[in-house]
Amino acid sequence: MESFWQELKSLLKTLFCFVVALMLVPLLLLSFLCAHFGNELSNYVLSIKYPNLTISKSKKIRTLIDTPKNAGVFHFLLQVEGNCDFERIRMAYAQNLTDLRDKTGILRFPKLRQKLVTCWGHYAWVNDSSGFNINNHVLLSTHKYRGRPVTESNIQEYVSELATKYIPSDLPQWQVIVIPNSDSTQPYYILIKLHHLIIAEEEDLHVSEMLLLHDPHKRTMMTLSDGLGDNSNPKLSRFVRKPEHISRLINHIIHLVICRWQKFIYEFESLETPDGSTSSNQVGNLSQLASLVVIVLVNVILGYIRSRTMLKKLKRRSVSYRNEVGRFQTVRLLLNRELEQRNLNWWVARNAVYKSLQPTNLAKVWTRFLWRLNLNHVLLLPYHIYCECLAFGDVLIKGKTSYTSTYCARLHLYVPLLLYAQLEFFKIIWELFQAPRNIYEVLFEQPTKELNILHKKSYAGRKIVSFGRSIDGAQLRTRNQGKFNSDLRESDFSLTCLAGAVHDYFNTFSGDLKVPNYLNTTCRTIDKGYFTDRSGDKSENIGGVVFLQLPLRQPDANHTKELHQIVERIRKQQIIIYLASIGQTKYSLLTSLLPHVITKIFINFFSYNFPITITEIYGATAEFQAAWGQKVQDVLLFRPPQSKTCLSLNLHRFGDKYRLAVMADTHLAPDHTVITRSFEQYMETITL
C-alpha cells in the first residue's frame, strides 16, 4: 500500500511539472520572438554603424560567455612520427586552408585571414584581410626547453607554457606551433590553437581540415546497410541510447523513395537520344508528358535550392560579392534550361494531349490496362500464391526471404519496423511527459550542495594543460579478466579511476576544505570522426551533455558498481536533456529562447554548480594520417573550460589505448598534474 501511494505521489508531481511547463510555453515563445528580433535589430544597427565589420551571429553558449581574457580557444596536440619538415607543414596549411579558393575564385575559408574584434559586446570579423601573413600563424618553436632537448619527460611543461600564452589580438585567432624533435627516433609535436568562432561561423571548415588529418582506413564507399544497423562500440559508455528503430525506419523509407525515384527516371530515359537531345515526337502520350513535367519540376526545385545555398555561401565568403539574378529570374532560367534539354514546349504538350484523346489511343490504353489486370490477378494468381508460400516458408525457416516482391516479404520487413518504431514513439511521448520533472530534479534537486575548493578559488582565464602517457587496454582487461560485462563496463572502470584521480586532487587541499562525497560534473562524448571527417554535419560526431554526480573516493569494486548505477540512471532520466543539448549544439535552440543577458545568468549559475566538465573521446582505431604524408601517432584534445567552469578532463580512447588530457585555469597550477598521475596509477594497478 505504501508503494502505491509513493507511485501516486510521483505521478502527481510529474503531472504538476508537466502542466507548469505547458503554461510556460507561451512565455517562452514570446521570449523567443523578443530575443530574435532584438538580436536582428542590434546586428543591423551595428552593420550600418561599422560597415567595415561583419557582425557575428553565432548563438553558441561559448560565444555568450566568451571574453578576451577567458576565450574559448581549443587546443589540439599532435604527436607525429618521423623527421620534422617545417616548410612542408607550412605549405600544407597554405595550400589546403589559407590560400584555398573555390571555383569562382573566392577564398574558401576567409575567416582564417580575418581578425576577430569586439563591438558593443558582440564579436565581429574585420573585412579587410590584406595584412594576413601565414608566417604569423604557422610557427616553428625551438627543440629545446629551458636548455634541455624536448623529450617525453618535459613535453608537458613545454606545451603547458605555450598554452598559457594568448594569441595576439591583432591577428586572426588561430595558431599552429611546430615543436621539432632533437632526435630523429623520437616523435615531434604540433600544437594547434583554434578559436571556437572560426569553426562555428566558417560553415565549410571542419576540425579535421584545421588539423590536416584523415583516417587512412576509413571507407570511402558506402553500402546499402550503412545507417541501418547499430555500429556503436559496446565497450564504450554511451550515456543515452538513441531511438534505433525510428531512425532505421526513416532511413529505410528514404532509401526506398530514392530507389523508386531513380527507377522512375530510368523508365523515361528512353525519351532521350544518345546525344542528349530530345525530339518532340518521342513524347507520344499524356502519361509521358506528365512524367516529364514531374521530372522538370523536381529538377527546378532542387536546382533552386542548390543555387540559393551556393549564393549564401559566396556572400559569407566575400562581403563584396553581388548577385544580379533575382529569385524569380533564377527559377525562370532553371525552368528554361530543363525545358530546352528535353525539347519540351507548348506544341509538344498540345500534340501529346491530342494524341492521347484520340478514340483509337484511348481504346489501346484501356485494352492494355484490362489485359495487365487480368494477367496479374487471374492468370498468374496460382504463381503468385506459390511465391507467397515459398516466401512464408523462408521466413519461418531462415528468418529472411529472397522473394522481396511478395506480400509476405513486405509484411516481414515492415510490420516489425512499424511495431518497434511505434513502441519507441510512445516511449518518447512518455519521456516528454516526464521531461519537466526530470529536468527540475537533475538541475536543482539532485546536484550536491557540498562546497569544494574550486568554489573558493578565483580564476585568471589563462589555461594550462597536463596529459599522461598511453595506457594499454589489453593489460587492463587481463588484470581484470572476466570482470567486464553488460553489468560492469570497461568505461565504468575508467570513469571510476578518473573519479579517484579527482579525489586525490581535492585531497591535496583537505587541510583547507573537506573532500566532498560527490562532485557535480557535466559529461559529453566525441567520436573520432570529429578529427578526421571532412564532409557532412560538423556536429554529427559530438554527443549531447548529461549531468553526472561523480562519487569521490579511492577506486574499488563497490565504487565502480555505484558509478555504473549512476550512469544507468542517467540513461533513463536524462534523455530529453541529452537531446536538447544536441539541438543546442546543432541549431542553438536553447540560447535562442531567452535574451542573452538572462542566458548568461543561467550559464554562470550552472557553471558554478558544475565546475568540472568530462569529455569521453573515442574511436575504433588509433591511426591518423597527416596531409603532408606522415603518420600521426596520437591526437589530444583540450576543451577549454569557461565561465565558472575551471577544469576540463578529456578522456581519450583510440583503439585499445587510454589517455587523459587535462586543461585547467592557471590558478590551479601546479596541483592539476595530480589528476593525470593518479589516473595513470589507478588504471595500471587497480584490480576489481
Side-chain angles (χ1 to χ4, degrees):
M1 191 65 181
E2 184 178 354
S3 61
F4 170 77
W5 288 111
Q6 289 180 351
E7 290 292 334
L8 181 61
K9 182 179 178 181
S10 175
L11 180 62
L12 291 176
K13 182 180 179 181
T14 304
L15 180 61
F16 174 76
C17 292
F18 182 75
V19 171
V20 171
L22 289 180
M23 295 172 63
L24 291 176
V25 169
L27 185 61
L28 288 177
L29 290 176
L30 180 62
S31 174
F32 167 75
L33 294 176
C34 294
H36 174 73
F37 289 109
N39 292 335
E40 291 295 325
L41 179 62
S42 62
N43 291 337
Y44 176 75
V45 172
L46 290 176
S47 62
I48 296 298
K49 184 175 178 61
Y50 301 99
N52 60 325
L53 301 178
T54 300
I55 307 302
S56 170
K57 296 183 179 180
S58 173
K59 298 178 183 178
K60 304 293 184 182
I61 290 179
R62 289 191 181 274
T63 307
L64 300 181
I65 60 178
D66 202 288
T67 62
K69 289 187 176 181
N70 192 5
V73 178
F74 284 73
H75 289 60
F76 303 87
L77 185 65
L78 276 59
Q79 183 176 317
V80 189
E81 183 180 291
N83 291 323
C84 176
D85 189 345
F86 174 73
E87 286 301 319
R88 194 175 175 185
I89 298 172
R90 188 179 64 82
M91 287 298 297
Y93 272 92
Q95 294 175 359
N96 293 284
L97 291 172
T98 58
D99 295 339
L100 186 63
R101 297 178 181 269
D102 58 20
K103 295 180 180 179
T104 61
I106 299 176
L107 286 170
R108 190 174 180 185
F109 307 123
K111 289 181 173 54
L112 293 177
R113 290 171 166 260
Q114 296 175 347
K115 300 176 186 177
L116 189 63
V117 297
T118 56
C119 176
W120 287 16
H122 293 72
Y123 272 114
W125 304 92
V126 180
N127 296 330
D128 183 16
S129 60
S130 57
F132 174 80
N133 188 348
I134 194 173
N135 294 322
N136 295 327
H137 297 272
V138 184
L139 310 175
L140 179 62
S141 185
T142 176
H143 66 278
K144 289 188 176 182
Y145 175 62
R146 295 181 179 177
R148 295 184 301 158
V150 176
T151 61
E152 291 187 0
S153 61
N154 60 357
I155 185 63
Q156 285 195 57
E157 292 81 1
Y158 194 11
V159 172
S160 185
E161 184 175 306
L162 293 174
T164 59
K165 298 177 181 179
Y166 291 127
I167 302 174
S169 58
D170 58 342
L171 294 176
Q173 294 298 290
W174 66 279
Q175 206 171 59
V176 177
I177 304 174
V178 181
I179 306 172
N181 48 2
S182 55
D183 185 357
S184 59
T185 61
Q186 297 293 323
Y188 68 93
Y189 297 87
I190 301 178
L191 178 65
I192 296 109
K193 299 181 180 181
L194 179 64
H195 198 282
H196 71 92
L197 267 180
I198 295 178
I199 294 295
E201 299 219 323
E202 196 65 82
E203 185 174 321
D204 296 330
L205 182 63
H206 292 71
V207 170
S208 59
E209 292 173 296
M210 279 302 304
L211 305 182
L212 295 183
L213 290 180
H214 68 273
D215 189 344
H217 298 293
K218 188 175 181 63
R219 292 182 303 167
T220 56
M221 298 294 293
M222 294 185 65
T223 62
L224 295 178
S225 60
D226 288 349
L228 300 180
D230 186 9
N231 300 323
S232 60
N233 190 339
K235 298 177 183 176
L236 296 168
S237 143
R238 295 296 190 94
F239 287 110
V240 177
R241 296 183 180 93
K242 295 181 180 179
E244 174 187 353
H245 300 287
I246 293 178
S247 61
R248 185 178 297 175
L249 178 62
I250 293 174
N251 289 335
H252 183 81
I253 293 174
I254 293 174
H255 175 69
L256 185 63
V257 170
I258 293 174
C259 290
R260 291 296 176 89
W261 175 252
Q262 294 296 334
K263 182 180 178 181
F264 178 74
I265 295 291
Y266 178 76
E267 287 179 355
F268 290 93
E269 282 196 353
S270 59
L271 297 176
E272 297 185 358
T273 59
D275 59 355
S277 63
T278 305
S279 59
S280 59
N281 57 6
Q282 288 177 323
V283 184
N285 53 54
L286 192 59
S287 64
Q288 291 179 347
L289 177 64
S291 301
L292 276 182
V293 170
V294 171
I295 293 173
V296 167
L297 290 178
V298 171
N299 287 340
V300 168
I301 293 172
L302 295 178
Y304 177 78
I305 294 174
R306 284 193 296 266
S307 64
R308 301 309 298 181
T309 303
M310 181 57 64
L311 178 61
K312 290 180 180 179
K313 286 185 179 180
L314 294 176
K315 286 184 176 180
R316 280 194 296 266
R317 291 174 182 175
S318 177
V319 181
S320 60
Y321 180 81
R322 293 293 181 269
N323 181 39
E324 304 296 335
V325 183
R327 295 175 183 267
F328 293 105
Q329 192 174 359
T330 301
V331 173
R332 185 169 60 83
L333 291 174
L334 291 170
L335 184 59
N336 290 337
R337 186 185 66 183
E338 292 292 330
L339 293 177
E340 288 177 2
Q341 286 180 353
R342 290 163 176 81
N343 198 15
L344 191 62
N345 50 49
W346 288 111
W347 184 85
V348 173
R350 185 181 60 183
N351 190 36
V353 174
Y354 175 75
K355 288 182 179 180
S356 297
L357 295 180
Q358 289 181 355
T360 56
N361 289 332
L362 288 175
K364 289 179 182 179
V365 170
W366 278 102
T367 302
R368 189 183 301 113
F369 171 74
L370 293 175
W371 167 249
R372 289 180 179 176
L373 185 66
N374 291 326
L375 180 66
N376 291 326
H377 293 83
V378 178
L379 299 178
L380 294 179
L381 184 60
Y383 173 73
H384 290 323
I385 295 175
Y386 173 71
C387 291
E388 293 290 345
C389 293
L390 291 178
F392 184 72
D394 287 344
V395 169
L396 288 180
I397 298 173
K398 302 178 182 179
K400 59 182 180 180
T401 179
S402 58
Y403 298 93
T404 55
S405 61
T406 60
Y407 290 103
C408 182
R410 291 169 183 168
L411 290 174
H412 178 255
L413 174 64
Y414 287 107
V415 169
L417 273 178
L418 290 172
L419 179 61
Y420 288 119
Q422 286 180 357
L423 292 176
E424 281 189 344
F425 176 75
F426 289 125
K427 184 179 180 181
I428 290 174
I429 296 298
W430 175 248
E431 291 296 336
L432 288 174
F433 176 68
Q434 291 183 306
R437 174 188 174 177
N438 289 336
I439 292 173
Y440 174 77
E441 290 180 349
V442 169
L443 297 182
F444 297 101
E445 288 187 357
Q446 293 179 3
T448 178
K449 305 300 188 295
E450 298 176 277
L451 289 177
N452 57 70
I453 195 63
L454 300 180
H455 292 144
K456 300 293 184 179
K457 289 182 175 291
S458 59
Y459 302 109
R462 291 181 181 269
K463 304 296 188 294
I464 51 176
V465 301
S466 174
F467 52 92
R469 63 180 183 274
S470 294
I471 300 170
D472 191 356
Q475 295 181 1
L476 179 90
R477 289 189 295 275
T478 301
R479 193 172 66 251
N480 296 277
Q481 191 170 7
K483 300 293 180 62
F484 298 130
N485 48 48
S486 59
D487 295 328
L488 192 62
R489 292 179 291 270
E490 191 175 330
S491 56
D492 297 329
F493 178 78
S494 62
L495 276 177
T496 304
C497 294
L498 187 59
V502 175
H503 171 271
D504 291 349
Y505 170 76
F506 282 114
N507 198 41
T508 58
F509 304 97
S510 59
D512 301 326
L513 202 63
K514 188 182 71 170
V515 178
N517 295 320
Y518 291 89
L519 180 69
N520 301 322
T521 65
T522 58
C523 304
R524 83 181 321 153
T525 58
I526 295 179
D527 188 81
K528 180 186 176 182
Y530 181 75
F531 304 96
T532 58
D533 290 352
R534 300 192 179 189
S535 61
D537 187 2
K538 290 187 288 189
S539 59
E540 181 181 0
N541 299 298
I542 303 176
V545 175
V546 294
F547 298 90
L548 170 65
Q549 278 69 51
L550 198 65
L552 301 183
R553 61 175 183 270
Q554 295 293 327
D556 54 26
N558 293 330
H559 190 192
T560 306
K561 292 178 181 178
E562 181 184 1
L563 195 51
H564 174 79
Q565 294 173 357
I566 293 175
V567 172
E568 289 301 311
R569 187 171 68 244
I570 288 174
R571 288 176 180 270
K572 298 176 181 178
Q573 191 178 25
Q574 299 191 29
I575 295 176
I576 298 300
I577 293 177
Y578 179 87
L579 296 177
S581 61
I582 290 180
Q584 168 62 30
T585 302
K586 291 186 175 183
Y587 311 110
S588 301
L589 292 180
L590 301 179
T591 50
S592 299
L593 293 176
L594 299 173
H596 288 175
V597 176
I598 299 178
T599 306
K600 288 181 181 179
I601 293 174
F602 278 111
I603 293 173
N604 288 330
F605 171 76
F606 288 117
S607 61
Y608 175 81
N609 288 329
F610 296 84
I612 292 182
T613 176
I614 300 174
T615 307
E616 183 185 17
I617 304 148
Y618 60 90
T621 61
E623 297 187 16
F624 301 88
Q625 190 79 21
W628 55 91
Q630 290 181 306
K631 179 182 177 181
V632 178
Q633 297 177 347
D634 207 353
V635 179
L636 293 180
L637 164 64
F638 301 89
R639 296 183 68 244
Q642 288 185 273
S643 190
K644 303 295 183 181
T645 303
C646 56
L647 196 57
S648 174
L649 309 179
N650 307 278
L651 180 57
H652 299 72
R653 170 144 188 212
F654 294 132
D656 213 12
K657 301 288 185 181
Y658 288 91
R659 199 169 189 182
L660 179 65
V662 177
M663 175 169 270
D665 190 275
T666 51
H667 285 186
L668 299 183
D671 302 302
H672 68 291
T673 58
V674 172
I675 299 177
T676 53
R677 292 197 302 268
S678 296
F679 178 76
E680 290 177 6
Q681 177 186 351
Y682 291 141
M683 288 288 288
E684 294 177 341
T685 59
I686 293 296
T687 302
L688 298 178

